[in-house]
Amino acid sequence: MSDVNSDTNPSPTHNKNIRTKLKILALHGYRQNGTLFSGKIGSFRKAVSKYAQLVFISAPHKVYTDDGAGDEDVRSWWFNAEDNTYSGKCLGGPAIGFEVTLRLIEDVVKEYGPFDGLMGFSQGACLVGLLAAMQQKGYLPYTFKFAIFASGFRSGSLVHKGFYDEDIDLPSLHVYGESDSIIPKEMSESLINLFTKPIVAEHSGGHYVACSGSIKDAYLDFLHDRYEDIIESEKLQKKD
């Protein structure tokens, strides 16, 4: 099982009768891990803490440097080159290790879920998009009700091409940087176009999880609406 950490106790033993926050599975970018990602997005975690409990996991595949070193314990959700590297701009490559990642997330959902939503950054956001597309087609053994993307994009791997052939009917928030050179905004817009009712928030910065000013407001507005849809409706059902 991948390392799991959370803003609160991620133990699978929880009281399902008391729910005060949305539960979100957070997926890191390429050459990160769950702990590093959690540390890098402290402002985001603090901003959304009113509405959400974030659970962070690490991808299953270790990334090694050219000399074979891997001391940093940085990870990838899959590789799209035969030398076990990954680039979001790569088109037509493989998806080495993707099935392992699917099994990992299924196991995490079984042990620590269910999750109300998924959130991802960069390669993690690409993965969230793939999972949303797979859910739309009925391919997943679990469900989630919304998705948040930071620097998201479509996978260029050949085996993923077929997942993007229909619209995705899922509440979604897409945040990206106008000056992002790693994942240019055109790549994020290509993913956004798959969703039927996307909410889009653009910032002037680059490749990171922005969380200030209007971007922070966009997160809070989106999560407030999801909170009303999910948590409040559950409370009303229990009263009935």
Side-chain angles (χ1 to χ4, degrees), residues 27-28 57-61 76-78 97-98 101 104 123-124 127:
L27 306 179
H28 62 78
I57 63 172
S58 295
H61 306 293
S76 181
W77 298 107
W78 69 95
F98 183 69
T101 282
L104 168 66
Q123 191 194 31
L127 175 55

Side-chain angles (χ1 to χ4, degrees), residues 86-203:
Y86 180 86
S87 170
K89 295 177 181 177
C90 175
L91 298 177
I96 300 167
F98 183 69
E99 293 294 330
V100 175
T101 282
L102 291 181
R103 290 194 295 271
L104 168 66
I105 293 180
E106 184 177 342
D107 289 343
V108 169
V109 171
K110 285 179 182 177
E111 187 167 355
Y112 298 101
F115 294 95
D116 300 298
L118 304 183
M119 176 268 182
F121 167 64
S122 197
Q123 191 194 31
C126 179
L127 175 55
V128 172
L130 286 165
L131 294 173
M134 293 175 73
Q135 176 173 257
Q136 184 70 36
K137 291 177 174 294
Y139 291 168
L140 297 182
Y142 53 87
T143 61
F144 54 97
K145 300 180 179 71
F146 63 87
I148 298 175
F149 302 87
S151 299
F153 57 97
R154 296 193 197 195
S155 171
S157 296
L158 282 175
V159 294
H160 295 155
K161 188 175 180 181
F163 293 140
Y164 298 128
D165 61 0
E166 63 181 279
D167 292 340
I168 301 173
D169 185 20
L170 181 75
S172 60
L173 172 63
H174 305 257
V175 179
Y176 62 87
E178 187 177 10
S179 58
D180 190 336
S181 61
I182 307 296
I183 303 298
K185 72 175 187 176
E186 293 79 12
M187 291 178 64
S188 291
E189 289 168 346
S190 178
L191 176 65
I192 291 166
N193 290 337
L194 289 171
F195 288 81
T196 57
K197 295 180 181 178
I199 296 173
V200 180
E202 181 180 310
H203 60 89

Side-chain angles (χ1 to χ4, degrees), residues 30 62-64 76 78-86 96-97:
Y30 179 60
K62 197 164 186 175
V63 178
Y64 293 91
S76 181
W78 69 95
F79 302 110
N80 58 8
E82 296 297 339
D83 62 353
N84 284 355
T85 59
Y86 180 86
I96 300 167

